[in-house]
Amino acid sequence: MKGNLKKILAIVLFTTLLTCDDYLEILPEGQENTENYFNSKSDYEDALIGVYDLLGTTYLSNILGEIASDNSNCGGGDQTDVLDWQQIDDMIHTADNGALRNVFQWMYAGISRANYIVEFKDKMDFQGKEQLLAENLFLRSYFYFELVKFFGDVPMYLDGRISLEDSQAIDRTPKAEVYAQLEADLKTAIESLPWEQAQNGRATRGAALALLGKIYLYQEKFQDAATTLDKVITSGQYQLVSDFSTIFLNSNENNIESVFEVQYFGGQGASFDCFQCVEGNIAVGFMGPRFLNGDFSPYTSGFSFNPPTAEIFNSYSSDDVRRDATILDMEAFVAERPDVTFSQGNTDDYTGYYNKKYIPYAEANLPDVNLTHSNNYRSIRYSDVLLMAAEAYNRGAIDDSKARNYVNLVRERAGLEDVTSSGGNLTQDIYRERRLELAGEGHRFFDQVRTGQTSTIKGFTPGKHELFPIPRIEIELAGNRWTQNPGY
């Protein structure tokens, strides 16, 4: 079912990435245009697929959430390879950083597509409309949450497609107001979303509850977070996969632990000229080792970005089954296969380790193979939900016993003994468990910022680097009405 969702995207003609009305093509009279498009249930369904399509661009969150943290270096071919990422790794990024502008543009492109459906939601009725609108609200909330994580206060558009005129007439919305809107939207969506969907990758009630719980946690609304996340835990819909090493295999996508998973498709081909057009998981090809020769199956070569540090590798105990399932020890791999040769790439950042969770597998994908891998992104896993709930119960001084129970479920799966701590010591145990459980998945930097654990990030300046800068060109396009984040 995953491939079907992606293949349909080609027929979505009216939900373009462009957010300015000046760029909309005017068709001859009598032909469809954006104002008279919604005339059938299938029109709404196709437009919704267009909103789902922009989830593919969140691969940058996976990469940057690790590179910006203390989990990994930038890597690549040398210190100038994808300079935008190198600057973020060194905390010298500016408002002209192209990767940050991509995040800003692509998330707003997804929001604009979602708002297109909102704009015409009352044009007609059809069976399943409430669920479709609920999925749309979930997706819009997902995109807005990404923006708030990166940039803090952001302009909030709710009623229709985003135009240049809109951006010049609206200020940055305080993140508390954005969060309040997301809470309201997700509560509305939850009422109409099913626990299970017939097609993999569709938003479910569990996904919406988990996202809502995460938004509460980011605001330190611990009681709300605990109550909401418990609804996911007690639903009976999810459980931990018994063998951690299988969670991220391409053959085990959309498993019982997956609460929300971004679907990727490796059979459509790709181009470096349009990353937002790619249906494959771009992050995977960029993060793979630079293999040169020999039998390195089941993997294929990549561009050696995002190498985990020795510090994160050594943070795992030797009996933690997650270590070798999370991090590929290249020296050990080559020792077992003496015919394999590889390039260290950026020797200043080379650590000998690679992100095994999102490593490129040899598969029947199409050129350029580094851009078309089908590895799904496990955006929200059940273990993440358990650890968020544990944190909420502990930091909210609600129930340390319940918090310990949740964190120990995760530890037991990893082959580790239970923790017995409480209070502040338990808080640190939970933080540590989040890092080890979720390493390589793009959450680390944002976890460090929201919990104030940024002292281990090289080059991090408190009061500045908690947020990324609003792209300079976006401020200029908005008529310079938006203030820049502090320090930039």
Side-chain angles (χ1 to χ4, degrees):
M1 296 302 291
K2 174 190 65 163
N4 293 338
L5 180 61
K6 304 302 289 184
K7 291 176 182 176
I8 298 172
L9 295 171
I11 67 174
V12 182
L13 302 178
F14 300 102
T15 51
T16 68
L17 280 171
L18 301 171
T19 59
C20 176
D21 290 342
D22 295 340
Y23 290 98
L24 295 177
E25 180 181 2
I26 305 300
L27 298 177
E29 185 176 356
Q31 293 188 27
E32 288 181 329
N33 58 46
T34 57
E35 303 306 313
N36 64 20
Y37 173 66
F38 290 103
N39 298 299
S40 67
K41 178 180 179 181
S42 63
D43 288 344
Y44 283 89
E45 291 172 337
D46 290 346
L48 180 63
I49 291 171
V51 187
Y52 274 103
D53 185 40
L54 265 296
L55 287 173
T57 66
T58 59
Y59 76 88
L60 271 177
S61 295
N62 185 193
I63 290 179
L64 298 182
E66 295 296 313
I67 286 176
S69 78
D70 59 359
N71 270 0
S72 67
N73 298 328
C74 183
D78 55 41
Q79 285 287 357
T80 63
D81 196 2
V82 189
L83 190 57
D84 292 331
W85 298 358
Q86 303 284 353
Q87 291 171 348
I88 290 172
D89 181 34
D90 295 331
M91 289 288 145
I92 58 172
H93 49 273
T94 70
D96 296 311
N97 186 282
L100 297 177
R101 191 188 181 201
N102 283 340
V103 173
F104 193 91
Q105 285 184 307
W106 294 344
M107 295 307 95
Y108 273 116
I111 290 165
S112 191
R113 291 185 180 192
N115 282 352
Y116 183 32
I117 295 175
V118 172
E119 186 178 348
F120 291 94
K121 65 183 177 65
D122 296 323
K123 186 175 181 181
M124 63 175 294
D125 291 320
F126 52 86
Q127 186 176 4
K129 177 181 175 181
E130 292 306 313
Q131 179 177 317
L132 183 147
L133 295 179
E135 291 183 51
N136 192 52
L137 281 181
F138 168 84
L139 293 171
R140 189 175 72 174
S141 299
Y142 190 100
F143 294 133
Y144 266 124
F145 182 54
E146 290 296 301
L147 286 169
V148 172
K149 286 196 308 181
F150 273 86
F151 304 109
D153 302 345
V154 292
M156 186 164 57
Y157 309 88
L158 298 174
D159 300 324
R161 289 159 290 174
I162 304 171
S163 69
L164 184 60
E165 291 78 10
D166 290 333
S167 69
Q168 294 176 340
I170 188 172
D171 294 321
R172 292 176 64 185
T173 306
K175 69 177 183 180
E177 294 181 24
V178 179
Y179 278 143
Q181 183 66 49
L182 303 190
E183 290 172 15
D185 285 348
L186 287 169
K187 288 176 183 176
T188 298
I190 287 164
E191 296 302 315
S192 298
L193 286 173
W195 283 105
E196 297 181 23
Q197 291 271 24
Q199 189 175 42
N200 288 331
R202 296 279 188 175
T204 62
R205 181 171 296 187
L209 283 166
L211 181 57
L212 178 59
K214 191 170 189 176
I215 288 170
Y216 283 140
L217 188 64
Y218 267 65
Q219 300 173 85
E220 300 190 350
K221 294 182 177 180
F222 298 124
Q223 182 62 68
D224 289 331
T227 301
T228 303
L229 294 166
D230 256 350
K231 292 179 181 178
V232 181
I233 295 168
T234 61
S235 69
Q237 296 292 316
Y238 311 100
Q239 63 187 49
L240 297 176
V241 171
S242 59
D243 184 351
F244 187 91
S245 68
T246 68
I247 295 173
F248 295 89
L249 297 176
N250 285 8
S251 59
N252 200 21
E253 294 177 336
N254 303 300
N255 57 57
I256 192 67
E257 188 166 334
S258 180
V259 180
F260 188 66
E261 195 161 311
V262 177
Q263 312 292 300
Y264 285 102
F265 176 58
Q268 190 170 313
S271 167
F272 279 81
D273 296 328
C274 184
F275 276 6
Q276 68 267 35
C277 307
V278 177
E279 302 303 330
N281 190 334
I282 294 175
V284 171
F286 273 87
M287 291 190 288
R290 290 177 179 252
F291 288 116
L292 299 176
N293 295 294
D295 177 16
F296 40 82
S297 61
Y299 312 125
T300 189
S301 188
F303 295 139
S304 67
F305 284 92
N306 195 29
T309 64
E311 189 272 331
I312 179 60
F313 182 85
N314 293 328
S315 294
Y316 293 92
S317 62
S318 59
D319 55 351
D320 190 331
V321 302
R322 295 172 300 191
R323 187 190 68 181
D324 294 340
T326 296
I327 300 173
L328 174 67
D329 183 339
M330 196 62 169
E331 303 299 334
F333 182 80
V334 172
E336 295 179 353
R337 304 190 189 195
D339 65 320
V340 171
T341 59
F342 69 100
S343 169
Q344 294 182 358
N346 181 357
T347 55
D348 290 336
D349 281 356
Y350 176 73
T351 64
Y353 302 114
Y354 294 93
N355 185 351
K356 195 172 181 180
K357 288 180 176 177
Y358 292 104
I359 196 167
Y361 289 97
E363 55 184 334
N365 53 0
L366 297 175
D368 186 298
V369 294
N370 294 100
L371 299 182
T372 58
H373 289 284
S374 63
N375 311 50
N376 284 356
Y377 175 57
R378 280 68 164 173
S379 175
I380 306 175
R381 292 195 289 121
Y382 184 54
S383 62
D384 187 7
V385 172
L386 288 170
L387 292 172
M388 287 192 291
E391 183 180 337
Y393 275 108
N394 166 250
R395 293 184 64 197
I398 302 168
D399 189 340
D400 270 2
S401 176
K402 200 164 191 176
R404 279 193 300 272
N405 178 52
Y406 286 158
V407 74
N408 283 333
L409 288 174
V410 176
R411 286 180 61 82
E412 288 164 12
R413 195 260 300 271
L416 303 175
E417 295 181 354
D418 289 352
V419 297
T420 58
S421 53
S422 59
N425 290 332
L426 178 56
T427 303
Q428 294 305 313
D429 285 339
I430 293 169
Y431 289 165
R432 187 178 305 108
E433 211 58 41
R434 280 192 65 80
R435 185 186 188 191
L436 300 177
E437 175 70 19
L438 302 172
E441 299 180 45
H443 305 298
R444 176 60 177 170
F445 175 76
F446 303 106
D447 274 349
Q448 288 185 275
V449 167
R450 70 177 182 80
T451 59
Q453 300 180 95
T454 56
S455 62
T456 54
I457 301 176
K458 62 182 180 181
F460 188 95
T461 300
K464 175 181 179 179
H465 288 132
E466 290 85 358
L467 297 173
F468 293 101
I470 302 291
R472 185 189 313 277
I473 191 171
E474 299 297 337
I475 292 177
E476 293 173 352
L477 289 171
N480 292 305
R481 69 178 296 136
W482 299 340
T483 57
Q484 184 55 274
N485 282 329
Y488 296 101

